[in-house]
Amino acid sequence: MSRPVRIAVAQYAPTIGYVDANRVAAVQWAERAAAEKVDLLVLPELASSGYVFASESEAAASAEDAEHGELVDALTAVCADGLHCVVGINEADGAVRHNSAVVIGPQGHIATYRKLHLFNDEKSWFEPGGELPVVDLPFGRVGMVICFDLWFPEAARALALAGAEIIAVPTNWVASFRRQVYDAAGYCLGDIVAMATAGQNGVVMACADRVGVEREVRFLGCSIIVGSDGWPVQGPAGHEEEVLLVADVDLDGVALARRRTPRNDLFGDRRPDSYNAVVISASPPAGAVTTPIPS
Ligand code: ACM
């Protein structure tokens, strides 16, 4: 390996509203990753607060600052020897909140990504973000998306075009109203979308899901680390187990993955001139049919 990086994803069950206990749990997973000499650890979406809020006051009470909150400070201490973490937090931003992913290193907060595509009831608690930052860490360039963002391929594509070699994905995959949750091999749809994203962009995907049930919402597990060729290098994890998946990947594979053949280049072969009319349109094309949500 010429550009090795050790990546880990922590799959466990944060508890709704228990900010102190959730901080302790996140620190314990980070300590375990640090002991395994991990370079980049990804923790789940809303690991600081839990996911299924019952009220505005509950959401507000578990929000914290992205740069100097207690969780960020606690994880900074664990990063002293070179670990970097991406963790999902309920971010307090003045009068509003964001469903955010924070990058933390030995010196503390490095960057914040605020989820662009809010899912279902998240729209009651959070404001969407507006930017897709990439950060240069000692081992490579990292971007972030959160859970439902994966269903919008433009986000990962924008990160890859901005040079991201790894996309960290704090997630809380849910069954929603889907008729099928897992395939025969135990993969959930999030795994398959993450594999497609890796293959389409020649990017490493590190997806940290949670497990457990909150107020009748079941989370799917299936955390996964996908190589830049689109195939899993670790996982998917079990549907209920708490586990740290660890994988060594070579970031030199990223350039190779983007050159599918000597005559192809995933980015150079793009045809934005032909896509623009569709991609920049704010609304569905005329004649598009909106599907009613089953009750
Ligand atoms: C989700 O976006 N957390 C389903």
Side-chain angles (χ1 to χ4, degrees):
M1 285 205 188
S2 46
R3 289 183 63 212
V5 51
R6 182 166 290 181
I7 299 175
V9 298
Q11 172 171 297
Y12 62 101
T15 310
I16 186 74
Y18 283 80
V19 174
D20 292 342
N22 290 337
R23 184 172 61 253
V24 170
V27 164
Q28 283 172 349
W29 287 103
E31 285 172 345
R32 204 166 137 186
E36 295 200 34
K37 303 277 177 251
V38 165
D39 297 300
L40 179 68
L41 168 68
V42 185
L43 297 144
E45 177 181 8
L46 294 175
S48 63
S49 60
Y51 185 78
V52 187
F53 300 114
S55 65
E56 168 61 26
S57 58
E58 187 178 58
S62 59
E64 60 191 283
D65 187 78
E67 294 188 21
H68 302 292
E70 284 187 86
L71 176 60
V72 172
D73 285 349
L75 287 175
T76 300
V78 189
C79 289
D81 290 336
L83 174 68
H84 287 75
C85 295
V86 175
V87 60
I89 71 161
N90 170 4
E91 182 197 352
D93 174 33
V96 300
R97 288 179 302 275
H98 303 281
N99 180 343
S100 296
V102 180
V103 190
I104 301 158
Q107 268 73 51
H109 171 272
I110 297 173
T112 303
Y113 163 67
R114 293 168 169 167
K115 188 173 185 177
L116 291 180
H117 306 95
L118 297 174
F119 183 78
N120 203 10
D121 288 347
E122 292 171 32
K123 294 185 177 191
S124 299
W125 319 123
F126 300 113
E127 289 296 317
E131 290 172 5
L132 283 161
V134 292
V135 290
D136 285 319
L137 300 182
F139 43 82
R141 186 169 289 188
V142 176
M144 290 155 282
V145 296
I146 301 175
C147 201
F148 193 44
D149 285 327
L150 277 177
W151 272 255
F152 301 83
E154 296 91 342
R157 176 69 99 198
L159 290 172
L161 288 171
E165 298 166 293
I166 303 169
I167 298 183
V169 190
T171 190
N172 278 185
W173 285 324
V174 293
S176 192
F177 49 81
R178 300 285 165 222
R179 108 192 110 78
Q180 181 180 349
V181 179
Y182 302 112
D183 72 5
Y187 288 64
C188 71
L189 200 57
D191 293 320
I192 292 160
V193 176
M195 290 165 65
T197 303
Q200 287 170 344
N201 294 290
V203 73
V204 176
M205 301 291 291
C207 306
D209 195 15
R210 59 162 293 169
V211 288
V213 178
E214 260 179 21
R215 295 184 171 131
E216 299 183 4
V217 173
R218 181 160 64 99
F219 302 97
L220 303 185
C222 285
S223 295
I224 195 167
I225 303 171
V226 186
S228 53
D229 60 359
W231 292 106
V233 286
Q234 274 296 348
H239 304 162
E240 290 169 10
E241 66 173 339
E242 301 209 332
V243 66
L244 186 74
L245 299 182
V246 182
D248 292 313
V249 301
D250 185 354
L251 289 187
D252 270 352
V254 166
L256 204 63
R258 291 174 182 174
R259 298 295 303 228
R260 298 300 303 266
T261 76
R263 300 178 65 182
N264 288 103
D265 177 321
L266 281 181
F267 297 161
D269 288 351
R270 294 168 63 247
R271 298 292 308 280
D273 46 334
S274 300
Y275 315 144
N276 270 353
V278 179
V279 172
I280 66 178
S281 163
S283 47
V289 176
T290 302
T291 310
I293 296 178
S295 51

PDB file of all heavy atoms in Angstrom, residues 21 39 48 111 130 222 244:
ATOM      1  N   ALA A  21     -24.761  10.402  28.577  1.00  0.00           N
ATOM      2  CA  ALA A  21     -24.485   8.989  28.290  1.00  0.00           C
ATOM      3  C   ALA A  21     -24.018   8.822  26.837  1.00  0.00           C
ATOM      4  O   ALA A  21     -23.124   8.017  26.547  1.00  0.00           O
ATOM      5  CB  ALA A  21     -25.725   8.149  28.549  1.00  0.00           C
ATOM      6  N   ASP A  39      -6.991   5.820  11.690  1.00  0.00           N
ATOM      7  CA  ASP A  39      -6.765   7.209  11.259  1.00  0.00           C
ATOM      8  C   ASP A  39      -8.070   7.997  11.246  1.00  0.00           C
ATOM      9  O   ASP A  39      -8.084   9.175  11.619  1.00  0.00           O
ATOM     10  CB  ASP A  39      -6.179   7.219   9.831  1.00  0.00           C
ATOM     11  CG  ASP A  39      -4.832   6.537   9.766  1.00  0.00           C
ATOM     12  OD1 ASP A  39      -3.914   7.002  10.463  1.00  0.00           O
ATOM     13  OD2 ASP A  39      -4.695   5.533   9.032  1.00  0.00           O
ATOM     14  N   SER A  48     -24.965  12.429  19.311  1.00  0.00           N
ATOM     15  CA  SER A  48     -24.974  13.206  20.553  1.00  0.00           C
ATOM     16  C   SER A  48     -26.326  13.185  21.250  1.00  0.00           C
ATOM     17  O   SER A  48     -26.401  13.350  22.468  1.00  0.00           O
ATOM     18  CB  SER A  48     -24.597  14.664  20.262  1.00  0.00           C
ATOM     19  OG  SER A  48     -25.568  15.255  19.421  1.00  0.00           O
ATOM     20  N   ALA A 111     -14.122  21.064  10.890  1.00  0.00           N
ATOM     21  CA  ALA A 111     -15.150  21.486   9.920  1.00  0.00           C
ATOM     22  C   ALA A 111     -16.507  20.958  10.361  1.00  0.00           C
ATOM     23  O   ALA A 111     -16.595  19.990  11.110  1.00  0.00           O
ATOM     24  CB  ALA A 111     -14.821  20.944   8.526  1.00  0.00           C
ATOM     25  N   GLY A 130     -26.334  24.365   3.617  1.00  0.00           N
ATOM     26  CA  GLY A 130     -26.237  24.888   2.255  1.00  0.00           C
ATOM     27  C   GLY A 130     -24.895  24.641   1.596  1.00  0.00           C
ATOM     28  O   GLY A 130     -24.675  25.073   0.466  1.00  0.00           O
ATOM     29  N   CYS A 222     -26.163  -2.646   9.562  1.00  0.00           N
ATOM     30  CA  CYS A 222     -25.622  -2.747   8.193  1.00  0.00           C
ATOM     31  C   CYS A 222     -24.538  -1.718   7.888  1.00  0.00           C
ATOM     32  O   CYS A 222     -24.297  -1.394   6.709  1.00  0.00           O
ATOM     33  CB  CYS A 222     -26.707  -2.620   7.131  1.00  0.00           C
ATOM     34  SG  CYS A 222     -27.741  -4.055   6.934  1.00  0.00           S
ATOM     35  N   LEU A 244     -17.360  -2.338  16.044  1.00  0.00           N
ATOM     36  CA  LEU A 244     -16.457  -1.409  15.365  1.00  0.00           C
ATOM     37  C   LEU A 244     -15.909  -2.146  14.144  1.00  0.00           C
ATOM     38  O   LEU A 244     -15.206  -3.149  14.298  1.00  0.00           O
ATOM     39  CB  LEU A 244     -15.308  -1.018  16.304  1.00  0.00           C
ATOM     40  CG  LEU A 244     -14.366   0.062  15.782  1.00  0.00           C
ATOM     41  CD1 LEU A 244     -15.032   1.442  15.837  1.00  0.00           C
ATOM     42  CD2 LEU A 244     -13.064   0.093  16.593  1.00  0.00           C
TER      43      LEU A 244
END
